[in-house]
């Protein structure tokens, strides 16, 4: 049974205002660096066989902070472009308020499986490449592996939707906040979602953070290793 820890990158100065997509030079801001440090501390004692990241800076920085906090043996961070952000094409760099007025925006929210961004990628293609990457890493690392993937909101939502057996058109019901942790256990029969959108915050302190192109917000709490690797799934 392979355990995959899915982490969205921390906050940037543009999160929630601009669809940065694959724009270069988008780094974590002070809040994002603190989020990454805190998550690294939470995961410091969890055994990891690999840390894999999107090729974009904000994910690489988040993954590096998690790797730097390791207790004991160090884990090298490996890039995989299949976990990169959605190719938003002509929408890249546009303010979200402007994009929300586009007719296609409503389709992104209600019927994402039909969407191909102008000059960019389809959301169905995003799910296909991301899930294929997970399957490849599962096979590469073996059935007893525990590894972490640092990626982007819509990419992680597409992986979770696949793990839940949900149609892609339902994936906007999934919330993945900046620097949140989701955990999926893969077995020979089916995946089990053990945890979703855990930021370590209590319900009373919850503050929703707006994500990219329909990615939402939310959280849960449990910090110990047993909770990360064991809880929440049936079967």
């Amino acid at each position: 049974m392979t355990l995959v820890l899915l982490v969205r990158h921390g906050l940037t100065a543009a999160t929630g205002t601009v669809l940065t997509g694959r724009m270069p030079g988008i780094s974590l801001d002070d809040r994002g660096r603190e989020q990454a440090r805190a998550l690294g501390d939470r995961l410091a004692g969890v055994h990891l066989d690999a840390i894999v990241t999107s090729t974009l800076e904000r994910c690489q920085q988040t993954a590096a902070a998690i790797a730097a906090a390791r207790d004991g043996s160090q884990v090298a961070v490996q890039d995989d472009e299949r976990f990169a952000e959605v190719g938003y094409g002509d929408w890249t760099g546009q303010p979200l308020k402007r994009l929300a007025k586009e007719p296609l925006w409503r389709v992104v929210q209600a019927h994402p499986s039909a969407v191909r961004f102008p000059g960019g990628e389809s959301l169905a293609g995003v799910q296909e490449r991301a899930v294929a990457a997970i399957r490849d890493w599962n096979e590469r690392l073996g059935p007893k592996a525990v590894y972490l993937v640092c990626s982007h909101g819509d990419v992680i939502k597409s992986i979770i939707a696949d793990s839940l057996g949900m149609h892609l058109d339902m994936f906007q019901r999934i919330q993945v906040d900046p620097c949140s942790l989701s955990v999926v256990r893969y077995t020979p029969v089916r995946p089990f979602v053990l945890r979703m959108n855990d930021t370590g915050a209590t319900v009373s302190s919850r503050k929703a953070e707006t994500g990219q192109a329909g990615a939402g917000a939310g959280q849960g709490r449990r910090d110990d290793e047993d909770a990360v690797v064991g809880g929440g799934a049936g079967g």
Side-chain angles (χ1 to χ4, degrees):
M1 297 183 294
T2 306
L3 202 68
V4 184
L5 282 61
L6 300 168
V7 172
R8 185 182 173 190
H9 63 81
L11 285 163
T12 75
T15 302
T17 59
V18 176
L19 189 62
T20 53
R22 297 181 182 177
M23 291 172 58
I26 305 298
S27 299
L28 300 181
D29 61 13
D30 289 343
R31 300 168 301 165
R33 286 188 287 272
E34 174 57 26
Q35 286 177 323
R37 183 204 62 75
L39 181 56
D41 288 346
R42 290 177 60 203
L43 297 178
V46 178
H47 170 77
L48 293 176
D49 293 293
I51 297 176
V52 187
T53 181
S54 158
T55 51
L56 293 170
E57 290 96 326
R58 54 196 184 272
C59 283
Q60 292 176 329
Q61 291 167 346
T62 302
I66 293 169
R70 305 300 302 148
D71 287 344
S73 61
Q74 295 298 303
V75 181
V77 177
Q78 304 176 68
D79 291 348
D80 189 331
E81 64 183 5
R82 293 174 296 178
F83 293 121
E85 179 61 288
V86 179
Y88 292 116
D90 297 342
W91 280 24
T92 302
Q94 296 295 315
L96 292 176
K97 287 184 177 180
R98 179 184 302 171
L99 293 174
K101 299 176 183 178
E102 294 284 341
L104 184 61
W105 183 269
R106 294 185 64 183
V107 186
V108 172
Q109 305 306 316
H111 191 20
S113 68
V115 169
R116 178 177 294 276
F117 292 97
E121 193 174 18
S122 71
L123 286 171
V126 172
Q127 184 179 55
E128 182 178 5
R129 65 164 162 88
V131 172
I134 291 289
R135 298 293 183 180
D136 285 351
W137 280 99
N138 288 353
E139 184 174 356
R140 183 186 310 186
L141 295 172
K144 296 183 179 180
V146 179
Y147 70 98
L148 183 145
V149 172
C150 187
S151 189
H152 306 267
D154 284 347
V155 179
I156 294 173
K157 285 163 59 178
S158 75
I159 294 170
I160 293 173
D162 173 80
S163 300
L164 292 170
M166 294 170 55
H167 194 282
L168 185 61
D169 284 343
M170 308 289 282
F171 101 138
Q172 296 292 24
R173 300 186 182 199
I174 298 170
Q175 197 155 287
V176 176
D177 285 342
C179 234
S180 63
L181 171 68
S182 300
V183 182
V184 181
R185 183 175 70 208
Y186 286 86
T187 77
V189 177
R190 61 182 177 182
F192 294 90
V193 177
L194 308 187
R195 174 172 310 211
M196 191 161 55
N197 199 40
D198 180 1
T199 64
T202 61
V203 174
S204 61
S205 66
R206 180 175 178 268
K207 290 186 178 181
E209 297 289 351
T210 303
Q212 301 266 38
Q219 52 242 55
R221 176 178 177 79
R222 286 182 64 186
D223 302 288
D224 56 289
E225 179 177 358
D226 287 341
V228 172
V229 302

